[in-house]
Amino acid sequence: MLKVYRGELLHFLADPAKVALSDSYQYFEDGVMIIKDGLIERIGEASELLTTLDKSIDVTHYENGLIMPGFIDTHVHYPQTEMIASYGEQLLEWLENYTFPFERQFSDLEHGKNVAEFFLNQLLDAGTTTALVFGTVHKESVEAFFTIAQQKKLRMICGKVLMDQNCPDYLSDTAQSGYDDSKALIDKWHNTDRLQYAITPRFAPTCSTEQLNKAGQLLAEYPSVYLHTHLSENQAEIAWVKSLFPDSDGYLDVYDKSKLLGRRSIFAHGVHLHDDECQRLGETDSAIAFCPSSNLFLGSGLFNLQQAQKFDVNVGLGSDIGAGTTFSMLSTINEGYKTQQLRQEKLSPFQSLYLATLGGAVALDLEGTIGNFTQGAEADFIVLDYHATPLMARRMQHCKTLSEKLFILSMLGDERHVKATHIMGEKV
Ligand code: GUN
Ligand code: ZN
């Protein structure tokens, strides 16, 4: 079945940091997108494409808005939804005082479903259509999440947390039970509809070497599943890893020794990486989730985007709820822009919107499936409304270029500016 949408249209074809800016995106001031059976069939100028269509076909016209691919959140914790904005601590104390007690509740399948329903609606309201998501240590948390994501026909990636040391007993698995539970979840859910599995060691401090090795073994057994963890977020954390793994040559090397790096491996944060670690991430095709809202909230530090780009590391954007304070990728971009300002560096609106869409798809090895409007891609897209708030509408009156317009959108925009979210072509 054909569906046709008309409006201002923007998507990316390549990383603006790697090619000439004009080759990195496609923009149609008055564009048309044709969707067939939930997949992108064609996009182009309205004046050209409309004449090719049968007169009987309905065209949905979005005015005062920008049609873009749905945002991709490459690092977020759904069980932390209800503990967002917990006061006063940095990473390790924040985990101990707030996070672990909260995650305890997810042994209850019904509780998980209830939170997953709310969480996914928040993502969709914010224009995020795909996310790489942490569960908790409980297999029920992932069961709950996938059940709800499947009902909503979403492309989502999730995994059960692995943690067998330095955590409360009530949140601890073992190397063997973590392996067995993960395997059962992979067999049931990986590549079921649009769902995919991520092996999810929480971070090096809460995983024994045996557990990390078992994660590597599982990854080798299922090469198309993801690996999702945290890396070099906070100085005290890094010092702790050094003392726990004295034989390793740095934080990343702990994961590397257990064979956890690769094309489908995503490391959240990477705020304090050495050049040799970045080089290793680049040469193994691993990715970093840049989580500026979280990094500012927990006082973790200012991500060095230029370092990652220099070593050709794939980078996506992450909200990192509940350490991040917003579901909105527009607000996350706003925070990212400010982190780069504090580094005396620039984050252009093209670069940041690339990171939030195609960059995320590349980081997740899903280029061609989501992230832009190439033919055959899944038609998950959003409509951003310039007139949703009086302030943005007023500011837009004084803007002349596309670059300016996108910058204003990403600095002033949030959930309020997401007029519609479409999943496989259908408005939700
Ligand atoms: N490192 C280990 N666990 C977590 C978590 O839940 N949130 C963040 N931001 N960092 C972590
Ligand atoms: Zn996190």
Side-chain angles (χ1 to χ4, degrees), residues 77 80 91 94-95 99 202-203 230 233 269 294 298 320 323:
H77 301 250
Q80 295 176 12
L91 176 64
W94 176 84
L95 284 173
T99 315
R202 177 162 219 124
F203 67 155
H230 297 92
E233 176 177 4
H269 308 298
S294 164
L298 289 179
D320 194 24

Side-chain angles (χ1 to χ4, degrees), residues 265-320:
S265 298
I266 292 88
F267 298 90
H269 308 298
V271 173
H272 306 284
L273 292 173
H274 300 291
D275 277 0
D276 59 335
E277 294 180 301
C278 259
Q279 183 170 344
R280 186 72 187 135
L281 287 169
E283 72 194 19
T284 56
D285 256 338
S286 303
I288 295 175
F290 168 28
C291 307
S293 170
S294 164
N295 296 158
L296 294 171
F297 180 76
L298 289 179
S300 302
L302 306 170
F303 177 65
N304 190 341
L305 179 60
Q306 294 211 344
Q307 183 194 32
Q309 287 171 337
K310 180 175 155 198
F311 291 101
D312 221 6
V313 182
N314 295 324
V315 177
L317 273 183
S319 67
D320 194 24

